[in-house]
Amino acid sequence: MENKRGPDDLEKLLEQRQEEVDMLKKQKEYMQMKCRQAGEAIIKLQGKYISLEKEYDKVCEERDNFERMLRNGDDTK
């Protein structure tokens, strides 16, 4: 049996591994960018949610006041 391996095999393997490392670094950078974008979107949505929650509370209070006024109007008749 002949050993068909030589120094070129190690260089090719090293080159392949370096390409894999480079690809993984690019993937990591891309994922970090997307995570930052998602974080920014979450923060904006949280602000909108809080605003809508306050608006909802106001509408509920106005509804309750309106119902109370209608009931009080019925008592006077």
Side-chain angles (χ1 to χ4, degrees):
M1 279 196 276
E2 284 184 38
N3 188 353
K4 296 184 180 181
R5 294 183 177 195
D8 288 343
D9 289 338
L10 276 177
E11 288 177 13
K12 287 179 185 177
L13 184 62
L14 184 60
E15 188 177 305
Q16 287 174 346
R17 294 301 180 251
Q18 187 59 45
E19 288 174 3
E20 289 175 9
V21 167
D22 292 342
M23 181 186 67
L24 289 170
K25 284 181 182 179
K26 288 178 183 177
Q27 237 180 11
K28 181 184 94 172
E29 290 169 2
Y30 175 79
M31 294 302 292
Q32 285 175 334
M33 178 186 70
K34 289 298 182 183
C35 284
R36 284 187 198 101
Q37 289 174 350
E40 290 171 4
I42 288 170
I43 290 170
K44 287 179 184 177
L45 288 173
Q46 284 175 333
K48 285 183 180 180
Y49 175 80
I50 290 169
S51 174
L52 288 171
E53 202 171 39
K54 289 178 182 179
E55 186 67 25
Y56 175 76
D57 288 343
K58 288 178 187 177
V59 169
C60 288
E61 185 177 347
E62 288 176 6
R63 181 205 62 213
D64 292 344
N65 290 339
F66 183 69
E67 287 176 348
R68 201 172 299 120
M69 283 175 26
L70 286 177
R71 274 186 266 134
N72 287 341
D74 288 344
D75 292 344
T76 58
K77 290 184 181 181

